[in-house]
Amino acid sequence: MTRTIAVIGGGASGMMAAITAARQGAAVTIYEPKERLGKKLLATGNGKCNYTNLHQAPECYRGTHPEFALGILQMFSVEETISFFQSIGIVPKIKNGYVYPNSGQAVSVADALSLKVKELHITVKQETIVDIHRTRHSYLVTAKNESKNYDRIILCCGSPAGLPEGTEFFGYSIAETLGLVLIQPRPALVQLRCAEKWLKTVSGVRTEGTVTLWAEGTCIATEKGELLFTEYGLSGIPILQISRFAGEALAQKQKVTCKLDILPELTSEEVLKQLWQRMEHAGERSAEESLIGLLHHKLNYVLLKENGILPTAPAKLALAEKKKRAALAAACKGLVCTVLSTNPLSNAQVCAGGISTKELNPKTLEAKKLPGLYVAGELIDIDGTCGGYNLQWAWSSGYIAGFSAAADV
């Protein structure tokens, strides 16, 4: 008798789980309330879909127990992911380890997966799930328009990250109703909101730099890359990378700050030397004019003002005092921003937290307390850094859940 499987969610992990289970001979139904499968995929990689990364390391995955991810990835690797996508028509284009579809279009990935779903005769129901109830030998799935029993369930509901505020997200409520333990969901890969008023002056400025995140005087994360100042705080890939840790520290009521090294190519001594030389050769220039070419002019202005130096004052007078040059150099190497909060989940690329990995069999992703129920993707308390890692987690966990549900591993 053919095994019936319901996949709840038609995103990246859901389609991978459904395709894998169908290839094992299961009769699969996907429940997805959105008008098309894989809609969230269309926005990944700025529309180019960085669907995996050749560089894999433990620090690329986060969670209460991030090591859980590595076991799953060993069972369905990056190489197997690339091979799978080649089998459905996606030619890989690799740039510095980042893997994209050769078309340069995220829609290619979503469409290739959707076509494979269709070719495998997987039923797709555009339905919102109301309830999932465990019966003696099966699971009763209740949607708005019907109820149906299935032998196995795979939860691939994603997370509320990126959804408009106020949008109903049923994944966590279903998990809790079924008795699964949740780790508090929080925004990850998201911007930080800061207290400093001068941020409005430099809003829109981009600069290369290194950011260190501090909680109660202890450095808890470091990243480097292009920083983006906004009127409310900080953005850019390095900020997104550390945002998960900022959110955790803030939830614990800790004082959180970012220190920005906006001249990372220079040592503190070299910055001091630059300032002294600029003062010496300033002629009739103002303090602000003497800094032209060092940093973005808006940053120059803010750095002077915040360190008690009048930007319009003659440079030879304003920068003559060694203490003021030292303070200015220190700010260039450690500009402090006080973090008030992360942006909300509606602005986040992914969600930290979710179903605890302790609830799941690390080899099959079956719920330990609920035989026949499997979980994959972002609904689990695993999230990746920028660079294709969240999608790799979706592919690997979706494959393992789909294979296990169909094959009784």
Side-chain angles (χ1 to χ4, degrees):
M1 188 174 179
T2 302
R3 174 165 294 169
T4 58
I5 297 175
V7 176
I8 314 302
S13 62
M15 284 193 283
M16 176 60 90
I19 289 167
T20 304
R23 282 177 165 178
Q24 295 297 312
V28 182
T29 299
I30 296 175
Y31 287 85
E32 172 52 62
K34 294 187 180 69
E35 65 273 16
R36 69 161 292 165
L37 298 176
K39 188 172 182 181
K40 199 172 177 180
L41 274 171
L42 304 182
T44 58
N46 292 320
K48 296 180 180 180
C49 194
N50 171 203
Y51 65 91
T52 189
N53 199 306
L54 298 184
H55 170 72
Q56 296 288 321
E59 61 268 20
C60 298
Y61 298 92
R62 286 117 179 232
T64 307
H65 300 285
E67 68 280 359
F68 185 91
L70 301 181
I72 298 298
L73 267 68
Q74 286 172 359
M75 291 188 281
F76 190 78
S77 66
V78 170
E79 292 74 22
E80 289 170 298
T81 297
I82 293 172
S83 178
F84 165 81
F85 278 102
Q86 286 178 315
S87 76
I88 63 172
I90 300 299
V91 175
K93 182 178 182 179
I94 300 170
K95 184 177 181 181
N96 298 323
Y98 292 65
V99 185
Y100 300 87
N102 195 57
S103 65
Q105 294 179 294
V107 68
S108 299
V109 176
D111 284 350
L113 289 165
S114 295
L115 284 169
K116 183 53 63 175
V117 165
K118 185 177 180 181
E119 289 166 0
L120 290 169
H121 305 292
I122 295 168
T123 302
V124 178
K125 296 194 176 188
Q126 194 179 340
E127 296 272 4
T128 298
I129 300 300
V130 176
D131 182 51
I132 296 176
H133 179 71
R134 187 185 179 198
T135 63
R136 187 175 179 183
H137 298 296
S138 64
Y139 286 86
L140 179 65
V141 176
T142 301
K144 284 190 175 180
N145 297 316
E146 68 167 11
S147 293
K148 187 173 179 180
N149 279 296
Y150 293 91
D151 299 319
R152 301 286 185 269
I153 299 290
I154 308 175
L155 296 179
C156 302
C157 313
S159 82
L163 296 179
E165 289 191 56
T167 302
E168 183 181 359
F169 177 70
F170 60 86
Y172 297 146
S173 58
I174 285 178
E176 288 186 309
T177 298
L178 289 166
L180 298 174
V181 174
L182 286 182
I183 304 300
Q184 177 63 45
R186 294 192 188 92
L189 300 187
V190 72
Q191 307 83 8
L192 299 179
R193 305 189 76 89
C194 301
E196 284 66 27
K197 293 181 180 179
W198 53 259
L199 284 161
K200 289 185 178 180
T201 303
V202 295
S203 178
V205 172
R206 296 175 182 270
T207 186
E208 290 295 317
T210 299
V211 55
T212 52
L213 183 70
W214 297 75
E216 297 295 339
T218 300
C219 181
I220 58 174
T222 302
E223 290 287 342
K224 60 183 178 180
E226 187 180 68
L227 305 170
L228 170 63
F229 294 92
T230 71
E231 63 176 12
Y232 59 79
L234 300 170
S235 187
I237 289 178
I239 300 299
L240 302 188
Q241 303 282 49
I242 66 171
S243 60
R244 183 193 216 279
F245 306 113
E248 289 176 353
L250 289 165
Q252 295 169 22
K253 308 298 183 185
Q254 296 180 336
K255 180 182 178 181
V256 180
T257 56
C258 284
K259 291 184 181 179
L260 311 178
D261 181 352
I262 50 179
L263 285 173
E265 71 282 4
L266 300 178
T267 65
S268 296
E269 291 74 19
E270 288 170 334
V271 175
L272 273 170
K273 185 177 179 180
Q274 274 267 356
L275 295 177
W276 184 83
Q277 289 175 339
R278 285 169 181 268
M279 178 199 68
E280 284 287 294
H281 298 92
E284 300 300 316
R285 290 186 178 190
S286 68
E288 185 176 8
E289 289 169 340
S290 74
L291 297 184
I292 288 174
L294 183 64
L295 290 163
H296 191 286
H297 71 277
K298 289 184 178 180
L299 276 173
N300 290 335
Y301 176 83
V302 163
L303 286 167
L304 290 167
K305 288 274 288 183
E306 290 300 307
N307 286 282
I309 302 170
L310 188 64
T312 56
K316 286 205 170 183
L317 293 175
L319 296 174
E321 191 178 337
K322 188 175 180 180
K323 269 188 176 181
K324 287 192 174 181
R325 292 201 306 274
L328 187 57
C332 290
K333 297 297 290 180
L335 184 59
V336 176
C337 293
T338 306
V339 182
L340 299 176
S341 68
T342 66
N343 261 347
L345 276 166
S346 57
N347 294 108
Q349 292 185 22
V350 296
C351 188
I355 294 174
S356 172
T357 54
K358 287 187 174 182
E359 296 284 301
L360 307 174
N361 183 315
K363 295 187 181 298
T364 64
L365 295 178
E366 184 176 24
K368 293 175 181 177
K369 298 181 291 190
L370 297 164
L373 179 78
Y374 300 78
V375 190
E378 202 180 337
L379 194 61
I380 301 172
D381 177 32
I382 293 290
D383 56 283
T385 59
C386 294
Y389 298 104
N390 286 291
L391 281 179
Q392 182 58 55
W393 170 247
W395 312 134
S396 294
S397 60
Y399 178 88
I400 297 303
F403 185 88
S404 302
D408 252 356
V409 175

